[in-house]
Amino acid sequence: MFPILVLVMCLVVWADATPSHAETVIDIGSRRQLFVDRDLVESSTGVAFTMNAPSRTGRTVLLADAPWEKAVKGHIGACCSLLKEGEKIRLWYDFRFGDSVQVAYAESTDGIHFAKPSLGLHVLDGSKENNIVMESKIGGSAVWIDPRAPKDQRYRSQCKGYNAPNEGRLYCYHSADGISWTLWQHLDIGACDTQNIAFWDTRIERYVLYTRQNPNAGTPARSRVVRRFESDDLQHWENETIVMQADAADNAIYTSPTPKPPVDYYGAAVFRYPDPDGVYIMLSQPFWHFKRRPPNERWGKDGKEDLRKGERLGPATIDVRLAVSRNGVDFRRAGGRKPFLTLGPAGAFDSRIVWAIPNPVRMGDELWFYYVGRNRDHDGYIDPNASDSLSGIGLAIMRLDGFVSADADYSGGELTTHLLSFEGDKLEVNVDTGGGGVLQVEVLDEAGAPIPGYTQTEATLLCGNSVRMPVAWGDRETVLPLSGKPVRLRFIMRDCKLYAFGFVASDRKGDTRG
């Protein structure tokens, strides 16, 4: 019996030490991997995952300062969009005056100075000397390029209509050049009173639309949530799903004096990063209303009580929060729910509302986030620290891939990934070690043992600040012998921030991500 018992014990020990054949190997190819979530992380010690908010520049890159804009005393509305095409940044901005809502156009070669060309397309106050490209009292525009559309319809946009008989429906436009637009169709998908984000999703090979729903509309308990649809043809939309709404943690943060929740979600900009096959990034727009306003402000500027809708609550502000997803449906809040783009200083143009414009622009090794700012709250009350109503488009800047970092302090830490397979012959990291921090990378096999030639003892101490620092083990930089094989990466860190990693081909000519 004793030999059999020993054999059984040895088999048990061997089974515990051998990785399960059912363990999934994550194929990352040569795609950049960010630490926006922990899906790739098997274990970590002494590491904190930190959201890194972009730094606002404090400048306004676009104001309502054209002669025709000054003449009608208009302001920049929230729902703007932009695209970088070649060396040009193209901007479609929401312009509002009186009861009118238009979409106007501007462009820039440096991302800071925007020109407003006189396009002569639409008459305003008897003149075509303006840069209006879409009219008819529409809002919520978001311009995008449809990779499946005919060439003369490659630019798309969808807006909420404010005119009868199509009030509340989506106005769908297309264009060959982004300047001359044709109304294509109206869609009736229910409430869509926000910026309406659409794109072709390569993961499911269908169109997706992110818009809004208004539970308990027309009652004092009204709230707002972000929903998602899918379509094969941009005409028939299905699989409606709520993707962002106030949850128990949101609703518990304050006690609202009315049936209205303390916060709801006015809208969200959703995009794939760093490319059409990357993770889904959501910049959601929470609308905060949890405290009583002064008696003279509780029913709005006209002072008329509306018991059907309930009284208005402060602070009536909107900022931007970060959420991420691997499937475009299940979004997880990042950064402990702290603001990703917060309000500007008291009295500034963005001191009451900050609205993220979809799709950050890559400028070299930076991501530029454009946003609309206002110093009037959602109820129309101006920041008391300002002498006049202000609005404009601002700019905030972040390092490439910098949404979230895995941080180790002075005492050190480490992080190990799940089993991965990759393509390429070099490993690069996006890291900032400051002046005295270090990073080393060890490569482990399926059983978790260091692979000879790629051990911590052989790993070069990496120091510096680079979005694409090459990893080395002594004189060895190539990882080609490991390409296509299941491996784990062990990052040994001290006093540094690790943002991303990726495998590349050594003959790659620069980072081609747009």
Side-chain angles (χ1 to χ4, degrees):
M1 290 295 293
F2 180 74
I4 296 176
L5 179 61
V6 170
L7 175 61
V8 170
M9 292 176 66
C10 289
L11 289 172
V12 170
V13 171
W14 177 84
D16 287 342
T18 302
S20 168
H21 291 294
E23 184 174 1
T24 300
V25 178
I26 304 171
D27 181 9
I28 65 172
S30 57
R31 297 182 298 276
R32 196 79 159 177
Q33 302 300 310
L34 280 63
F35 291 104
V36 290
D37 57 26
R38 303 186 190 185
D39 282 19
L40 291 179
V41 179
E42 182 176 79
S43 64
S44 65
T45 57
V47 171
F49 293 86
T50 305
M51 183 184 72
N52 303 289
S55 299
R56 61 198 326 123
T57 64
R59 71 162 71 227
T60 49
V61 300
L62 194 93
L63 297 168
D65 57 1
W68 72 271
E69 293 170 333
K70 291 180 179 179
V72 297
K73 298 180 180 179
H75 67 270
I76 307 295
C79 300
C80 306
S81 55
L82 54 82
L83 296 171
K84 185 181 182 186
E85 297 186 74
E87 297 302 313
K88 184 182 293 185
I89 297 176
R90 310 184 68 191
L91 170 65
W92 293 264
Y93 64 96
D94 185 333
F95 184 77
R96 301 180 175 227
F97 58 97
D99 293 329
S100 181
V101 186
Q102 317 278 351
V103 177
Y105 175 78
E107 59 188 29
S108 173
T109 56
D110 63 5
I112 296 174
H113 304 92
F114 282 83
K116 301 176 181 178
S118 180
L119 300 173
L121 297 177
H122 299 280
V123 176
L124 180 67
D125 285 346
S127 172
K128 287 188 176 182
E129 292 294 320
N130 58 65
N131 54 319
I132 296 172
V133 293
M134 285 184 252
E135 57 174 2
S136 186
K137 200 175 182 184
I138 53 177
S141 171
V143 175
W144 56 289
I145 293 178
D146 183 354
R148 298 171 57 83
K151 191 173 181 179
D152 63 346
Q153 301 178 17
R154 63 190 299 262
Y155 293 87
R156 306 273 195 193
S157 185
Q158 49 288 322
C159 320
K160 176 192 174 180
Y162 290 99
N163 291 331
N166 293 304
E167 184 172 3
R169 301 175 72 185
L170 274 184
Y171 282 51
C172 298
Y173 291 81
H174 60 66
S175 171
D177 58 6
I179 300 296
S180 299
W181 292 86
T182 299
L183 178 60
W184 173 35
Q185 62 179 348
H186 297 103
L187 296 178
D188 190 359
I189 58 169
C192 54
D193 188 14
T194 189
Q195 189 161 35
N196 304 280
I197 308 295
F199 56 87
W200 174 256
D201 191 337
T202 57
R203 186 184 64 86
I204 60 173
E205 295 191 332
R206 303 191 81 189
Y207 294 102
V208 291
L209 171 68
Y210 294 87
T211 181
R212 197 170 86 194
Q213 189 183 81
N214 300 316
N216 301 313
T219 76
R222 177 190 180 180
S223 63
R224 301 164 179 85
V225 302
V226 180
R227 57 183 175 154
R228 172 186 177 274
F229 289 94
E230 298 177 5
S231 175
D232 293 318
D233 57 8
L234 293 174
Q235 299 181 58
H236 304 91
W237 294 90
E238 59 185 6
N239 297 343
E240 180 180 359
T241 308
I242 304 301
V243 295
M244 181 58 65
Q245 61 184 326
D247 60 10
D250 287 327
N251 289 324
I253 194 169
Y254 298 110
T255 300
S256 176
T258 75
K260 186 179 296 185
V263 61
D264 51 31
Y265 286 84
Y266 212 89
V270 179
F271 53 92
R272 303 291 297 273
Y273 181 86
D275 51 49
D277 298 313
V279 297
Y280 299 79
I281 299 290
M282 173 187 284
L283 302 181
S284 65
Q285 315 281 1
F287 174 32
W288 300 94
H289 36 68
F290 50 81
K291 66 176 186 176
R292 278 222 148 91
R293 303 194 75 110
N296 63 318
E297 296 180 358
R298 290 179 184 173
W299 301 101
K301 291 208 173 271
D302 60 13
K304 295 180 180 178
E305 292 190 10
D306 188 343
L307 298 179
R308 182 175 61 91
K309 293 184 178 181
E311 68 176 80
R312 297 171 185 259
L313 299 175
T317 50
I318 296 175
D319 57 14
V320 180
R321 310 286 161 135
L322 176 66
V324 298
S325 173
R326 293 284 172 172
N327 61 12
V329 178
D330 303 303
F331 284 88
R332 287 168 281 186
R333 326 287 183 97
R337 306 191 182 212
K338 295 177 181 178
F340 183 70
L341 281 172
T342 192
L343 300 179
F349 81 100
D350 52 0
S351 64
R352 287 293 180 263
I353 291 177
V354 171
W355 186 278
I357 297 178
N359 302 316
V361 172
R362 179 176 174 183
M363 300 291 279
D365 289 337
E366 297 176 335
L367 292 178
W368 288 20
F369 292 83
Y370 293 86
Y371 65 91
V372 177
R374 294 195 66 188
N375 70 348
R376 293 186 3 162
D377 65 28
H378 184 266
D379 294 335
Y381 293 100
I382 298 174
D383 181 345
N385 297 283
S387 59
D388 198 3
S389 176
L390 302 173
S391 67
I393 294 179
L395 174 62
I397 296 176
M398 185 178 76
R399 77 184 286 136
L400 197 66
D401 306 331
F403 295 93
V404 176
S405 56
D407 297 357
D409 63 17
Y410 203 69
S411 61
E414 64 177 65
L415 178 157
T416 303
T417 69
H418 289 293
L419 275 178
L420 310 172
S421 66
F422 66 88
E423 296 177 7
D425 59 7
K426 289 179 62 178
L427 173 61
E428 293 180 344
V429 291
N430 185 338
V431 65
D432 180 4
T433 70
V438 295
L439 171 70
Q440 290 177 289
V441 183
E442 182 174 65
V443 187
L444 312 176
D445 63 18
E446 286 185 271
I451 297 175
Y454 300 94
T455 66
Q456 180 182 3
T457 301
E458 298 159 297
T460 301
L461 292 175
L462 303 178
C463 305
N465 184 358
S466 173
V467 301
R468 59 182 70 80
M469 184 178 293
V471 177
W473 297 264
D475 295 333
R476 181 199 299 265
E477 283 194 3
T478 182
V479 290
L480 188 59
L482 306 178
S483 181
K485 298 178 180 179
V487 297
R488 290 179 172 85
L489 299 180
R490 177 175 171 237
F491 297 96
I492 304 101
M493 312 160 62
R494 183 181 302 279
D495 194 18
C496 72
K497 298 173 74 70
L498 175 63
Y499 298 90
F501 69 91
F503 293 89
V504 298
S506 58
D507 60 354
R508 180 200 63 183
K509 297 185 183 303
D511 192 337
T512 58
R513 290 176 294 151

